[in-house]
PDB file of all heavy atoms in Angstrom:
ATOM      1  N   GLU A   1     291.954 113.961 230.652  1.00 88.00           N
ATOM      2  CA  GLU A   1     291.801 115.405 230.469  1.00 88.00           C
ATOM      3  C   GLU A   1     290.515 115.906 231.130  1.00 88.00           C
ATOM      4  O   GLU A   1     290.471 117.013 231.663  1.00 88.00           O
ATOM      5  CB  GLU A   1     291.845 115.748 228.982  1.00 88.00           C
ATOM      6  CG  GLU A   1     293.238 115.512 228.432  1.00 88.00           C
ATOM      7  CD  GLU A   1     293.286 115.181 226.955  1.00 88.00           C
ATOM      8  OE1 GLU A   1     292.250 114.780 226.389  1.00 88.00           O
ATOM      9  OE2 GLU A   1     294.371 115.300 226.381  1.00 88.00           O
ATOM     10  N   LEU A   2     289.483 115.077 231.109  1.00 87.00           N
ATOM     11  CA  LEU A   2     288.247 115.418 231.814  1.00 87.00           C
ATOM     12  C   LEU A   2     288.536 115.585 233.302  1.00 87.00           C
ATOM     13  O   LEU A   2     288.109 116.548 233.927  1.00 87.00           O
ATOM     14  CB  LEU A   2     287.191 114.335 231.592  1.00 87.00           C
ATOM     15  CG  LEU A   2     285.923 114.436 232.433  1.00 87.00           C
ATOM     16  CD1 LEU A   2     285.162 115.711 232.135  1.00 87.00           C
ATOM     17  CD2 LEU A   2     285.041 113.224 232.198  1.00 87.00           C
ATOM     18  N   GLU A   3     289.298 114.650 233.856  1.00 87.00           N
ATOM     19  CA  GLU A   3     289.634 114.727 235.281  1.00 87.00           C
ATOM     20  C   GLU A   3     290.442 115.971 235.606  1.00 87.00           C
ATOM     21  O   GLU A   3     290.271 116.566 236.668  1.00 87.00           O
ATOM     22  CB  GLU A   3     290.397 113.479 235.721  1.00 87.00           C
ATOM     23  CG  GLU A   3     289.472 112.440 236.241  1.00 87.00           C
ATOM     24  CD  GLU A   3     290.175 111.271 236.889  1.00 87.00           C
ATOM     25  OE1 GLU A   3     291.241 111.435 237.508  1.00 87.00           O
ATOM     26  OE2 GLU A   3     289.625 110.176 236.770  1.00 87.00           O
ATOM     27  N   MET A   4     291.327 116.367 234.706  1.00 89.00           N
ATOM     28  CA  MET A   4     292.106 117.590 234.941  1.00 89.00           C
ATOM     29  C   MET A   4     291.173 118.785 235.147  1.00 89.00           C
ATOM     30  O   MET A   4     291.349 119.566 236.072  1.00 89.00           O
ATOM     31  CB  MET A   4     293.042 117.878 233.769  1.00 89.00           C
ATOM     32  CG  MET A   4     294.268 117.041 233.732  1.00 89.00           C
ATOM     33  SD  MET A   4     295.318 117.586 232.372  1.00 89.00           S
ATOM     34  CE  MET A   4     295.469 116.063 231.464  1.00 89.00           C
ATOM     35  N   GLY A   5     290.206 118.922 234.269  1.00 87.00           N
ATOM     36  CA  GLY A   5     289.263 120.031 234.392  1.00 87.00           C
ATOM     37  C   GLY A   5     288.442 119.958 235.664  1.00 87.00           C
ATOM     38  O   GLY A   5     288.222 120.957 236.331  1.00 87.00           O
ATOM     39  N   LEU A   6     288.011 118.744 236.013  1.00 86.00           N
ATOM     40  CA  LEU A   6     287.210 118.579 237.223  1.00 86.00           C
ATOM     41  C   LEU A   6     288.033 118.882 238.472  1.00 86.00           C
ATOM     42  O   LEU A   6     287.549 119.526 239.408  1.00 86.00           O
ATOM     43  CB  LEU A   6     286.651 117.158 237.296  1.00 86.00           C
ATOM     44  CG  LEU A   6     285.656 116.787 236.199  1.00 86.00           C
ATOM     45  CD1 LEU A   6     285.246 115.330 236.328  1.00 86.00           C
ATOM     46  CD2 LEU A   6     284.448 117.698 236.230  1.00 86.00           C
ATOM     47  N   LEU A   7     289.289 118.439 238.480  1.00 86.00           N
ATOM     48  CA  LEU A   7     290.155 118.691 239.635  1.00 86.00           C
ATOM     49  C   LEU A   7     290.465 120.169 239.800  1.00 86.00           C
ATOM     50  O   LEU A   7     290.757 120.628 240.903  1.00 86.00           O
ATOM     51  CB  LEU A   7     291.449 117.893 239.520  1.00 86.00           C
ATOM     52  CG  LEU A   7     291.273 116.381 239.706  1.00 86.00           C
ATOM     53  CD1 LEU A   7     292.563 115.642 239.371  1.00 86.00           C
ATOM     54  CD2 LEU A   7     290.824 116.050 241.114  1.00 86.00           C
ATOM     55  N   LEU A   8     290.372 120.919 238.718  1.00 87.00           N
ATOM     56  CA  LEU A   8     290.575 122.366 238.798  1.00 87.00           C
ATOM     57  C   LEU A   8     289.284 123.099 239.186  1.00 87.00           C
ATOM     58  O   LEU A   8     289.238 124.320 239.204  1.00 87.00           O
ATOM     59  CB  LEU A   8     291.106 122.896 237.459  1.00 87.00           C
ATOM     60  CG  LEU A   8     292.537 122.476 237.132  1.00 87.00           C
ATOM     61  CD1 LEU A   8     292.877 122.845 235.699  1.00 87.00           C
ATOM     62  CD2 LEU A   8     293.514 123.118 238.105  1.00 87.00           C
ATOM     63  N   GLY A   9     288.241 122.320 239.476  1.00 86.00           N
ATOM     64  CA  GLY A   9     286.995 122.912 239.944  1.00 86.00           C
ATOM     65  C   GLY A   9     286.130 123.506 238.848  1.00 86.00           C
ATOM     66  O   GLY A   9     285.317 124.383 239.106  1.00 86.00           O
ATOM     67  N   GLN A  10     286.274 123.005 237.620  1.00 87.00           N
ATOM     68  CA  GLN A  10     285.564 123.601 236.488  1.00 87.00           C
ATOM     69  C   GLN A  10     284.463 122.702 235.926  1.00 87.00           C
ATOM     70  O   GLN A  10     284.218 122.687 234.729  1.00 87.00           O
ATOM     71  CB  GLN A  10     286.570 123.944 235.381  1.00 87.00           C
ATOM     72  CG  GLN A  10     287.618 124.934 235.807  1.00 87.00           C
ATOM     73  CD  GLN A  10     287.010 126.237 236.268  1.00 87.00           C
ATOM     74  OE1 GLN A  10     286.144 126.787 235.609  1.00 87.00           O
ATOM     75  NE2 GLN A  10     287.446 126.728 237.410  1.00 87.00           N
ATOM     76  N   ARG A  11     283.774 121.958 236.782  1.00 86.00           N
ATOM     77  CA  ARG A  11     282.728 121.037 236.318  1.00 86.00           C
ATOM     78  C   ARG A  11     281.637 121.752 235.522  1.00 86.00           C
ATOM     79  O   ARG A  11     281.174 121.264 234.497  1.00 86.00           O
ATOM     80  CB  ARG A  11     282.119 120.302 237.500  1.00 86.00           C
ATOM     81  CG  ARG A  11     281.039 119.315 237.057  1.00 86.00           C
ATOM     82  CD  ARG A  11     280.426 118.610 238.200  1.00 86.00           C
ATOM     83  NE  ARG A  11     279.637 119.560 238.976  1.00 86.00           N
ATOM     84  CZ  ARG A  11     279.005 119.258 240.087  1.00 86.00           C
ATOM     85  NH1 ARG A  11     279.070 118.058 240.579  1.00 86.00           N
ATOM     86  NH2 ARG A  11     278.299 120.174 240.728  1.00 86.00           N
ATOM     87  N   ASP A  12     281.215 122.911 235.968  1.00 89.00           N
ATOM     88  CA  ASP A  12     280.100 123.601 235.313  1.00 89.00           C
ATOM     89  C   ASP A  12     280.438 124.083 233.905  1.00 89.00           C
ATOM     90  O   ASP A  12     279.551 124.269 233.090  1.00 89.00           O
ATOM     91  CB  ASP A  12     279.633 124.786 236.159  1.00 89.00           C
ATOM     92  CG  ASP A  12     279.000 124.329 237.456  1.00 89.00           C
ATOM     93  OD1 ASP A  12     278.538 123.173 237.523  1.00 89.00           O
ATOM     94  OD2 ASP A  12     278.978 125.127 238.411  1.00 89.00           O
ATOM     95  N   GLY A  13     281.711 124.274 233.600  1.00 90.00           N
ATOM     96  CA  GLY A  13     282.099 124.770 232.287  1.00 90.00           C
ATOM     97  C   GLY A  13     282.342 123.694 231.252  1.00 90.00           C
ATOM     98  O   GLY A  13     282.663 123.977 230.101  1.00 90.00           O
ATOM     99  N   PHE A  14     282.163 122.424 231.619  1.00 90.00           N
ATOM    100  CA  PHE A  14     282.414 121.285 230.732  1.00 90.00           C
ATOM    101  C   PHE A  14     281.349 121.235 229.640  1.00 90.00           C
ATOM    102  O   PHE A  14     280.176 121.054 229.911  1.00 90.00           O
ATOM    103  CB  PHE A  14     282.411 120.013 231.583  1.00 90.00           C
ATOM    104  CG  PHE A  14     282.540 118.731 230.834  1.00 90.00           C
ATOM    105  CD1 PHE A  14     283.517 118.554 229.873  1.00 90.00           C
ATOM    106  CD2 PHE A  14     281.693 117.683 231.117  1.00 90.00           C
ATOM    107  CE1 PHE A  14     283.635 117.356 229.195  1.00 90.00           C
ATOM    108  CE2 PHE A  14     281.808 116.479 230.445  1.00 90.00           C
ATOM    109  CZ  PHE A  14     282.782 116.315 229.484  1.00 90.00           C
ATOM    110  N   VAL A  15     281.755 121.439 228.350  1.00 92.00           N
ATOM    111  CA  VAL A  15     280.769 121.511 227.264  1.00 92.00           C
ATOM    112  C   VAL A  15     280.950 120.479 226.157  1.00 92.00           C
ATOM    113  O   VAL A  15     280.024 120.236 225.391  1.00 92.00           O
ATOM    114  CB  VAL A  15     280.738 122.920 226.611  1.00 92.00           C
ATOM    115  CG1 VAL A  15     280.265 123.957 227.605  1.00 92.00           C
ATOM    116  CG2 VAL A  15     282.075 123.285 226.010  1.00 92.00           C
ATOM    117  N   SER A  16     282.134 119.889 226.025  1.00 90.00           N
ATOM    118  CA  SER A  16     282.321 118.940 224.916  1.00 90.00           C
ATOM    119  C   SER A  16     283.299 117.843 225.293  1.00 90.00           C
ATOM    120  O   SER A  16     284.132 118.002 226.180  1.00 90.00           O
ATOM    121  CB  SER A  16     282.828 119.666 223.669  1.00 90.00           C
ATOM    122  OG  SER A  16     284.139 120.148 223.864  1.00 90.00           O
ATOM    123  N   MET A  17     283.171 116.728 224.593  1.00 87.00           N
ATOM    124  CA  MET A  17     284.049 115.586 224.821  1.00 87.00           C
ATOM    125  C   MET A  17     284.233 114.814 223.525  1.00 87.00           C
ATOM    126  O   MET A  17     283.470 114.981 222.581  1.00 87.00           O
ATOM    127  CB  MET A  17     283.486 114.693 225.913  1.00 87.00           C
ATOM    128  CG  MET A  17     282.088 114.205 225.658  1.00 87.00           C
ATOM    129  SD  MET A  17     281.387 113.538 227.159  1.00 87.00           S
ATOM    130  CE  MET A  17     280.679 112.045 226.539  1.00 87.00           C
ATOM    131  N   PHE A  18     285.266 113.997 223.482  1.00 84.00           N
ATOM    132  CA  PHE A  18     285.583 113.241 222.279  1.00 84.00           C
ATOM    133  C   PHE A  18     284.680 112.030 222.097  1.00 84.00           C
ATOM    134  O   PHE A  18     284.066 111.851 221.065  1.00 84.00           O
ATOM    135  CB  PHE A  18     287.026 112.759 222.382  1.00 84.00           C
ATOM    136  CG  PHE A  18     287.926 113.278 221.303  1.00 84.00           C
ATOM    137  CD1 PHE A  18     287.874 114.587 220.888  1.00 84.00           C
ATOM    138  CD2 PHE A  18     288.858 112.453 220.719  1.00 84.00           C
ATOM    139  CE1 PHE A  18     288.713 115.066 219.909  1.00 84.00           C
ATOM    140  CE2 PHE A  18     289.703 112.919 219.736  1.00 84.00           C
ATOM    141  CZ  PHE A  18     289.640 114.216 219.332  1.00 84.00           C
ATOM    142  N   TYR A  19     284.654 111.193 223.094  1.00 74.00           N
ATOM    143  CA  TYR A  19     284.029 109.886 222.967  1.00 74.00           C
ATOM    144  C   TYR A  19     282.535 109.933 223.298  1.00 74.00           C
ATOM    145  O   TYR A  19     282.081 110.826 224.001  1.00 74.00           O
ATOM    146  CB  TYR A  19     284.748 108.886 223.872  1.00 74.00           C
ATOM    147  CG  TYR A  19     286.210 108.801 223.545  1.00 74.00           C
ATOM    148  CD1 TYR A  19     287.162 109.418 224.348  1.00 74.00           C
ATOM    149  CD2 TYR A  19     286.645 108.150 222.399  1.00 74.00           C
ATOM    150  CE1 TYR A  19     288.505 109.368 224.030  1.00 74.00           C
ATOM    151  CE2 TYR A  19     287.986 108.107 222.066  1.00 74.00           C
ATOM    152  CZ  TYR A  19     288.909 108.706 222.885  1.00 74.00           C
ATOM    153  OH  TYR A  19     290.234 108.672 222.555  1.00 74.00           O
ATOM    154  N   PRO A  20     281.767 108.938 222.809  1.00 65.00           N
ATOM    155  CA  PRO A  20     280.328 108.921 223.082  1.00 65.00           C
ATOM    156  C   PRO A  20     279.990 108.856 224.569  1.00 65.00           C
ATOM    157  O   PRO A  20     278.953 109.315 224.984  1.00 65.00           O
ATOM    158  CB  PRO A  20     279.842 107.666 222.365  1.00 65.00           C
ATOM    159  CG  PRO A  20     280.872 107.391 221.329  1.00 65.00           C
ATOM    160  CD  PRO A  20     282.171 107.889 221.891  1.00 65.00           C
ATOM    161  N   SER A  21     280.874 108.285 225.370  1.00 71.00           N
ATOM    162  CA  SER A  21     280.613 108.229 226.814  1.00 71.00           C
ATOM    163  C   SER A  21     281.933 108.079 227.557  1.00 71.00           C
ATOM    164  O   SER A  21     282.936 107.637 226.997  1.00 71.00           O
ATOM    165  CB  SER A  21     279.694 107.058 227.151  1.00 71.00           C
ATOM    166  OG  SER A  21     280.338 105.841 226.861  1.00 71.00           O
ATOM    167  N   TYR A  22     281.912 108.471 228.785  1.00 74.00           N
ATOM    168  CA  TYR A  22     283.054 108.317 229.680  1.00 74.00           C
ATOM    169  C   TYR A  22     282.585 107.518 230.884  1.00 74.00           C
ATOM    170  O   TYR A  22     281.430 107.627 231.288  1.00 74.00           O
ATOM    171  CB  TYR A  22     283.560 109.671 230.184  1.00 74.00           C
ATOM    172  CG  TYR A  22     284.311 110.498 229.178  1.00 74.00           C
ATOM    173  CD1 TYR A  22     284.101 111.864 229.102  1.00 74.00           C
ATOM    174  CD2 TYR A  22     285.245 109.936 228.326  1.00 74.00           C
ATOM    175  CE1 TYR A  22     284.792 112.651 228.198  1.00 74.00           C
ATOM    176  CE2 TYR A  22     285.934 110.718 227.420  1.00 74.00           C
ATOM    177  CZ  TYR A  22     285.712 112.064 227.360  1.00 74.00           C
ATOM    178  OH  TYR A  22     286.391 112.840 226.466  1.00 74.00           O
ATOM    179  N   PRO A  23     283.476 106.740 231.492  1.00 78.00           N
ATOM    180  CA  PRO A  23     283.075 106.047 232.722  1.00 78.00           C
ATOM    181  C   PRO A  23     282.875 107.071 233.847  1.00 78.00           C
ATOM    182  O   PRO A  23     283.756 107.877 234.115  1.00 78.00           O
ATOM    183  CB  PRO A  23     284.260 105.123 233.009  1.00 78.00           C
ATOM    184  CG  PRO A  23     285.413 105.686 232.246  1.00 78.00           C
ATOM    185  CD  PRO A  23     284.843 106.452 231.097  1.00 78.00           C
ATOM    186  N   THR A  24     281.710 107.065 234.448  1.00 79.00           N
ATOM    187  CA  THR A  24     281.417 108.071 235.475  1.00 79.00           C
ATOM    188  C   THR A  24     281.036 107.460 236.823  1.00 79.00           C
ATOM    189  O   THR A  24     280.727 108.198 237.753  1.00 79.00           O
ATOM    190  CB  THR A  24     280.269 108.986 235.016  1.00 79.00           C
ATOM    191  OG1 THR A  24     279.121 108.184 234.759  1.00 79.00           O
ATOM    192  CG2 THR A  24     280.643 109.780 233.780  1.00 79.00           C
ATOM    193  N   ALA A  25     281.075 106.142 236.942  1.00 81.00           N
ATOM    194  CA  ALA A  25     280.646 105.488 238.186  1.00 81.00           C
ATOM    195  C   ALA A  25     281.446 105.969 239.381  1.00 81.00           C
ATOM    196  O   ALA A  25     280.888 106.188 240.465  1.00 81.00           O
ATOM    197  CB  ALA A  25     280.757 103.975 238.050  1.00 81.00           C
ATOM    198  N   TYR A  26     282.744 106.166 239.208  1.00 82.00           N
ATOM    199  CA  TYR A  26     283.543 106.602 240.367  1.00 82.00           C
ATOM    200  C   TYR A  26     283.230 108.034 240.764  1.00 82.00           C
ATOM    201  O   TYR A  26     283.360 108.399 241.916  1.00 82.00           O
ATOM    202  CB  TYR A  26     285.046 106.401 240.131  1.00 82.00           C
ATOM    203  CG  TYR A  26     285.600 106.948 238.854  1.00 82.00           C
ATOM    204  CD1 TYR A  26     286.041 108.263 238.765  1.00 82.00           C
ATOM    205  CD2 TYR A  26     285.699 106.148 237.726  1.00 82.00           C
ATOM    206  CE1 TYR A  26     286.563 108.755 237.584  1.00 82.00           C
ATOM    207  CE2 TYR A  26     286.212 106.632 236.545  1.00 82.00           C
ATOM    208  CZ  TYR A  26     286.648 107.937 236.480  1.00 82.00           C
ATOM    209  OH  TYR A  26     287.157 108.432 235.311  1.00 82.00           O
ATOM    210  N   TYR A  27     282.785 108.860 239.835  1.00 81.00           N
ATOM    211  CA  TYR A  27     282.351 110.209 240.208  1.00 81.00           C
ATOM    212  C   TYR A  27     281.086 110.132 241.055  1.00 81.00           C
ATOM    213  O   TYR A  27     280.931 110.844 242.034  1.00 81.00           O
ATOM    214  CB  TYR A  27     282.082 111.075 238.976  1.00 81.00           C
ATOM    215  CG  TYR A  27     283.302 111.340 238.141  1.00 81.00           C
ATOM    216  CD1 TYR A  27     283.374 110.926 236.826  1.00 81.00           C
ATOM    217  CD2 TYR A  27     284.394 112.014 238.671  1.00 81.00           C
ATOM    218  CE1 TYR A  27     284.500 111.175 236.056  1.00 81.00           C
ATOM    219  CE2 TYR A  27     285.520 112.264 237.908  1.00 81.00           C
ATOM    220  CZ  TYR A  27     285.561 111.837 236.601  1.00 81.00           C
ATOM    221  OH  TYR A  27     286.675 112.085 235.853  1.00 81.00           O
ATOM    222  N   GLU A  28     280.170 109.265 240.643  1.00 84.00           N
ATOM    223  CA  GLU A  28     278.921 109.100 241.375  1.00 84.00           C
ATOM    224  C   GLU A  28     279.182 108.619 242.802  1.00 84.00           C
ATOM    225  O   GLU A  28     278.520 109.059 243.742  1.00 84.00           O
ATOM    226  CB  GLU A  28     278.001 108.135 240.631  1.00 84.00           C
ATOM    227  CG  GLU A  28     277.499 108.712 239.322  1.00 84.00           C
ATOM    228  CD  GLU A  28     276.868 107.688 238.398  1.00 84.00           C
ATOM    229  OE1 GLU A  28     276.627 106.537 238.854  1.00 84.00           O
ATOM    230  OE2 GLU A  28     276.615 108.015 237.237  1.00 84.00           O
ATOM    231  N   GLU A  29     280.160 107.716 242.963  1.00 88.00           N
ATOM    232  CA  GLU A  29     280.505 107.241 244.303  1.00 88.00           C
ATOM    233  C   GLU A  29     281.028 108.369 245.182  1.00 88.00           C
ATOM    234  O   GLU A  29     280.879 108.337 246.398  1.00 88.00           O
ATOM    235  CB  GLU A  29     281.548 106.122 244.223  1.00 88.00           C
ATOM    236  CG  GLU A  29     280.980 104.803 243.760  1.00 88.00           C
ATOM    237  CD  GLU A  29     281.993 103.683 243.800  1.00 88.00           C
ATOM    238  OE1 GLU A  29     282.897 103.712 244.660  1.00 88.00           O
ATOM    239  OE2 GLU A  29     281.883 102.774 242.970  1.00 88.00           O
ATOM    240  N   LEU A  30     281.645 109.375 244.570  1.00 83.00           N
ATOM    241  CA  LEU A  30     282.156 110.522 245.310  1.00 83.00           C
ATOM    242  C   LEU A  30     281.102 111.617 245.498  1.00 83.00           C
ATOM    243  O   LEU A  30     281.379 112.662 246.070  1.00 83.00           O
ATOM    244  CB  LEU A  30     283.375 111.117 244.589  1.00 83.00           C
ATOM    245  CG  LEU A  30     284.606 110.215 244.518  1.00 83.00           C
ATOM    246  CD1 LEU A  30     285.654 110.833 243.599  1.00 83.00           C
ATOM    247  CD2 LEU A  30     285.176 109.995 245.906  1.00 83.00           C
ATOM    248  N   GLY A  31     279.896 111.364 244.969  1.00 84.00           N
ATOM    249  CA  GLY A  31     278.821 112.343 245.102  1.00 84.00           C
ATOM    250  C   GLY A  31     278.872 113.448 244.063  1.00 84.00           C
ATOM    251  O   GLY A  31     278.254 114.495 244.228  1.00 84.00           O
ATOM    252  N   ILE A  32     279.609 113.227 242.968  1.00 82.00           N
ATOM    253  CA  ILE A  32     279.718 114.220 241.901  1.00 82.00           C
ATOM    254  C   ILE A  32     278.788 113.817 240.763  1.00 82.00           C
ATOM    255  O   ILE A  32     278.955 112.764 240.160  1.00 82.00           O
ATOM    256  CB  ILE A  32     281.167 114.323 241.379  1.00 82.00           C
ATOM    257  CG1 ILE A  32     282.094 114.749 242.512  1.00 82.00           C
ATOM    258  CG2 ILE A  32     281.248 115.286 240.202  1.00 82.00           C
ATOM    259  CD1 ILE A  32     283.566 114.648 242.170  1.00 82.00           C
ATOM    260  N   ASN A  33     277.795 114.639 240.486  1.00 82.00           N
ATOM    261  CA  ASN A  33     276.877 114.375 239.381  1.00 82.00           C
ATOM    262  C   ASN A  33     277.477 114.970 238.113  1.00 82.00           C
ATOM    263  O   ASN A  33     277.565 116.179 237.969  1.00 82.00           O
ATOM    264  CB  ASN A  33     275.508 114.994 239.663  1.00 82.00           C
ATOM    265  CG  ASN A  33     274.533 114.726 238.545  1.00 82.00           C
ATOM    266  OD1 ASN A  33     274.732 113.829 237.738  1.00 82.00           O
ATOM    267  ND2 ASN A  33     273.492 115.518 238.479  1.00 82.00           N
ATOM    268  N   LEU A  34     277.910 114.114 237.209  1.00 81.00           N
ATOM    269  CA  LEU A  34     278.536 114.561 235.972  1.00 81.00           C
ATOM    270  C   LEU A  34     277.647 114.179 234.791  1.00 81.00           C
ATOM    271  O   LEU A  34     277.528 113.010 234.446  1.00 81.00           O
ATOM    272  CB  LEU A  34     279.920 113.934 235.826  1.00 81.00           C
ATOM    273  CG  LEU A  34     280.733 114.382 234.632  1.00 81.00           C
ATOM    274  CD1 LEU A  34     281.026 115.878 234.714  1.00 81.00           C
ATOM    275  CD2 LEU A  34     282.034 113.613 234.567  1.00 81.00           C
ATOM    276  N   ASP A  35     277.020 115.161 234.191  1.00 81.00           N
ATOM    277  CA  ASP A  35     276.133 114.937 233.053  1.00 81.00           C
ATOM    278  C   ASP A  35     276.957 114.911 231.768  1.00 81.00           C
ATOM    279  O   ASP A  35     277.397 115.948 231.292  1.00 81.00           O
ATOM    280  CB  ASP A  35     275.089 116.043 232.991  1.00 81.00           C
ATOM    281  CG  ASP A  35     274.256 115.983 231.735  1.00 81.00           C
ATOM    282  OD1 ASP A  35     274.105 114.893 231.166  1.00 81.00           O
ATOM    283  OD2 ASP A  35     273.751 117.039 231.322  1.00 81.00           O
ATOM    284  N   THR A  36     277.165 113.725 231.214  1.00 80.00           N
ATOM    285  CA  THR A  36     277.905 113.626 229.947  1.00 80.00           C
ATOM    286  C   THR A  36     276.961 113.492 228.761  1.00 80.00           C
ATOM    287  O   THR A  36     277.386 113.656 227.626  1.00 80.00           O
ATOM    288  CB  THR A  36     278.876 112.421 229.960  1.00 80.00           C
ATOM    289  OG1 THR A  36     278.138 111.228 230.198  1.00 80.00           O
ATOM    290  CG2 THR A  36     279.945 112.591 231.016  1.00 80.00           C
TER     291      THR A  36
END
């Protein structure tokens, strides 16, 4: 569901998540800084 929002171009509006952390290494490889 996180990816759905990101693919829709809504990274800046991301405010909450279920789990304590999400795997973000592949975002970093793509040059996307995702602050969880």
Side-chain angles (χ1 to χ4, degrees):
E1 291 153 341
L2 171 63
E3 268 189 33
M4 283 184 237
L6 295 176
L7 290 171
L8 290 170
Q10 299 301 313
R11 181 181 69 183
D12 293 337
F14 175 49
V15 295
S16 68
M17 56 195 226
F18 241 42
Y19 302 103
S21 65
Y22 286 139
T24 59
Y26 50 87
Y27 296 119
E28 292 166 11
E29 285 185 31
L30 295 171
I32 299 170
N33 181 19
L34 184 62
D35 172 26
T36 58

